[in-house]
Amino acid sequence: MTEIYMDHAATTPVRPEVVEVMLPYFGTEFGNASSVYGWGRRAHQALDQARDTVAELLGAASNEIIFTSGGSEGANLAIKGVAWAYQTKGKHIITSAIEHHAVLDTALWLKKHGFEVTILPVDEEGFVSPAEVEKALRPDTILVSIMHANNEVGTIQPIAEIGAIVRKHGAFFHTDAVQTAGVLDLNVEELNVDLLSLSAHKFYGPKGVGTLYVRKGVRLDPLIHGGAQERRRRAGTENVAGIVGLAKAFELAREERVAENARLTKLRDRLIEGLQTIPSSKVNGSLSQRLPNNVNVCFQYIEGESMLLNLDLRGIAASSGSACTSGSLDPSHVLLAMGLTHEIAHGSLRLTLGRDNTESDVDFVLQEIPVIVERLRKMSPLYQG
Amino acid sequence: MTEIYMDHAATTPVRPEVVEVMLPYFGTEFGNASSVYGWGRRAHQALDQARDTVAELLGAASNEIIFTSGGSEGANLAIKGVAWAYQTKGKHIITSAIEHHAVLDTALWLKKHGFEVTILPVDEEGFVSPAEVEKALRPDTILVSIMHANNEVGTIQPIAEIGAIVRKHGAFFHTDAVQTAGVLDLNVEELNVDLLSLSAHKFYGPKGVGTLYVRKGVRLDPLIHGGAQERRRRAGTENVAGIVGLAKAFELAREERVAENARLTKLRDRLIEGLQTIPSSKVNGSLSQRLPNNVNVCFQYIEGESMLLNLDLRGIAASSGSACTSGSLDPSHVLLAMGLTHEIAHGSLRLTLGRDNTESDVDFVLQEIPVIVERLRKMSPLYQG
Amino acid sequence: MYSDKVMDHFTNPRNVGEIADADGIGEVGNARCGDIMKLWIKVDGDVITDIKFKTFGCGAAIATSSVITEMAIGKSVTEAEQITNQQVAEELHGLPAVKMHCSNLAAEALAAAIEDYRKKAAADSAS
Amino acid sequence: MYSDKVMDHFTNPRNVGEIADADGIGEVGNARCGDIMKLWIKVDGDVITDIKFKTFGCGAAIATSSVITEMAIGKSVTEAEQITNQQVAEELHGLPAVKMHCSNLAAEALAAAIEDYRKKAAADSAS
Ligand SMILES: Cc1ncc(COP(=O)(O)O)c(C=O)c1O
Ligand SMILES: Cc1ncc(COP(=O)(O)O)c(C=O)c1O
């Protein structure tokens, strides 16, 4: 059976070119980047170079780059770091209802610790309104965190516009760019952001490594205290192989971005068009401001996991809501925030395309899904077909 | 020039057998362990197996194992996690003056947040006294954190004895076992610990991955909030390759431990004996309760970094104090806590042996060091030789 | 994640459908939780002679519905009533922990169908 | 981490030693910080004709001591006095940021030696 992977928003394979640049740092160049001798200096140089690469790709300075263990740590460091560092200035934080749990749960934890959190609603396409952000801003607002593009429905937020408003009001602005890094152009100046987090495994780099951009002048309490690494903002022996891999993967993604996005957009639209022909189906998220690889559809009367299992039996890997929370039985908080009912939200399917997907993959998926939907609907007590 | 690496306490190369088991998880088996389809299930199985292996090696249950991004995160999660979860029960924490900064700085940060911290002194060999621990324990003590073996001087603490005392008083006990994992027998029952942290890159595994053991029943606030991974105690897409590598490296180290320790102890003692013949030198740390690979000596009248540079010029990689803090100019806080003067503490040299070191390496080092010491002393205004 | 037996019942669910002239109908769960089960039973004497189900829900929900139809058929209603969710899970060689509570409603659906049957039977004999 | 020029001066330090009949001696730093420099100068007319140093300290401390001896020799004391720590660092093609403050004491040591020379000279001419 051919296997078709259409869950690139969950994770991606590491590109062979990336593995190749990582390998020396497991073996001969294994030094601790903090050490003064040859092995240490060479590891340090590799870090410096990776840092320069990432900084340049973000339009940032090298000393504004912190390497982390991934997107979740990045969001936690950004939000808790600013919150603890500026708590005497204010204790109000603004975020949105469709954030990844790495942002939402962090904000809610801070709430337990005396911070005030405003969670902004979104419209039916998943957009946060810049005007709502402006209304929510208060003199004691220290941080606003709005994701760049949503991991479930692919809606791309007007980050630059929101950033300009936040700046005007003197708060800091973090964006979770885990889904856009390597896909969209990320320039921290143009985006008007003060903090930006990303994760290598979403763009064909290794798992367990990410980056937090922190604008010069923004203070952070470390999340991980200890050694003097990362200019004292993130302790721990640096994951040199992982960091070198992140930089390489980011570089490759950004080189190929424009052509690859055009290709993916075509496949995406073909998928969306095909799935829309299924009765009682609904495409979620914006059609115009959307990640080039994201398809999210609800099929009424059926439940997501049973659809995924059937797809898996046909060799198709997809997701229903966020992979991170698939241990939970709640339907996607993102779809609920967009106004879907529980019943319909339970029937969501996310297909996210990637480098390995072809037109014939799309056609195979378009052939299989209607059969599965039909089969499950026949079993469903809700369906009066 | 042959290069001799004698800084295995700072980091170690990843063993080829370990790299080999990691590689598939970059490539074909790249799935997100939270996903329901084949790739995801296979990644999840790999995690389960790694978790079982690590649990067994620690004498723990699999659901007591949390995978982290390394030793620093482990210590931060253990200490902040328990502190935040039990702050209503008490706000007193006990640790020692010779802990790694990942422990010390975490405790000091909590102090800024309303916790009380007692930092116990050590004797001239670097031992924490169990009686002092008992004296320091109060009804509101929630956590005691004492390292298993010190990373600079190699002194091994009486952890089991301290653990029994801590338990009697109803507090939790964390040990930083970063330097002992893979070297000593780590059985959480025998050690009487409730939390134990370790880091793969210290035992020939990859950088950027570690483990925190948390005894069943001990609650933790997560350090990294977000997805449901690691039973909601550590969010973030799991670093499957790294975790599989950690388990393999841990397994190999424990298999070879006894024979390798005997070999290293001989080399270590040969080194210590040879270095003691240099006038005005002093071996730091305990001679009886000592890591089998650790040598730490102070040479009076000279400064550590200039010694390291000279050793590096002769192809020998060593350290002076902790590699993590070599960005700092302060002498080792460990040696100062053991009663050494600033002047003497500045002249410390740490040589830590490993799998790749041979007797002829030791002999070469013993031939070079006296020459370097002599040379630097001749330049020193403190030396009246 | 699921046992082979769960996957077997999920892939080839037994007794899917409705019974037009059912003697008892049970429905449990709600769409909010993501699981709804509906069971139809036909009773002859005291014995369940036919049983059908429809389920909106995850793999575990479908498999538990399917397997309980096999477990109940041929049993007296009193015996069938005593089937527990735990037994259903065991019959499927176990379920993932996260699925034990929410998606394992089949025994309750069957109990509801039997209760419905009893009510109807009482009403019939009363009339 | 260190420039080639630092490493050159560290590996082959110029003018190590003491001057028995020095005209001025300067000592700065302390062992607590990990850096002590001692400089001896010989002055003829107003010109530094010989200079020697001894240093307890890191690579940067040794290299800065060494290079300042080369910079000072042949200069008048007034000129030599004007050498700054910044110039010493530049002469070495830069120093790591962390080393700029603590280990770059050579200019101060030289200034101290010149001050000592001036004091002695004043005492001599007064006597
Ligand atoms: C005793 C001890 N604890 C903690 C750490 C921190 O481990 P890591 O660098 O993997 O975060 C180290 C090593 O750096 C160590 O030696
Ligand atoms: C939008 C978003 N933010 C954060 C994360 C967390 O990233 P990681 O799993 O690398 O910690 C993810 C993916 O899981 C994501 O999609």
Side-chain angles (χ1 to χ4, degrees), chain A residues 236-237, chain B residues 9 70-72 100 102 147 149 151 176 178-179 199 201-202 324:
Chain A
T237 302
Chain B
S72 300
H100 190 272
M147 71 199 311
N151 46 309
D176 169 354
V178 168
Q179 288 294 333
S199 188
H201 73 97
K202 305 286 189 182
C324 288

Side-chain angles (χ1 to χ4, degrees), chain A residues 232-248:
Chain A
R232 300 205 161 276
R233 291 169 304 182
R234 202 280 183 187
T237 302
E238 297 93 338
N239 175 2
V240 183
I243 290 167
V244 165
L246 178 147
K248 179 72 181 178

Side-chain angles (χ1 to χ4, degrees), chain A residues 7 10 14 26 30 32 34 37 41 69 76 80 84 105 109 113 207 221 223 225-226 234 312 318 323 326, chain B residues 7 14 26 30 32 34 37 41 69 76 80 84 105 109 113 207 221 223 225-226 234 238 312 318 323 326:
Chain A
D7 199 15
V14 187
F26 293 130
F30 67 91
N32 187 316
S34 302
Y37 43 75
R41 291 194 307 267
S69 71
N76 276 259
K80 292 178 195 163
W84 292 123
D105 291 6
W109 184 79
H113 287 270
K207 294 175 178 52
D221 265 30
L223 186 68
H225 287 86
R234 202 280 183 187
D312 183 41
S326 71
Chain B
D7 199 15
V14 186
F26 293 130
F30 67 92
N32 186 317
S34 302
Y37 43 76
R41 291 195 305 268
S69 71
N76 276 259
K80 293 178 195 164
W84 292 125
D105 291 7
W109 183 80
H113 287 269
K207 294 174 177 55
D221 265 29
L223 187 67
H225 287 85
R234 201 281 184 187
E238 297 93 339
D312 183 41
S326 71

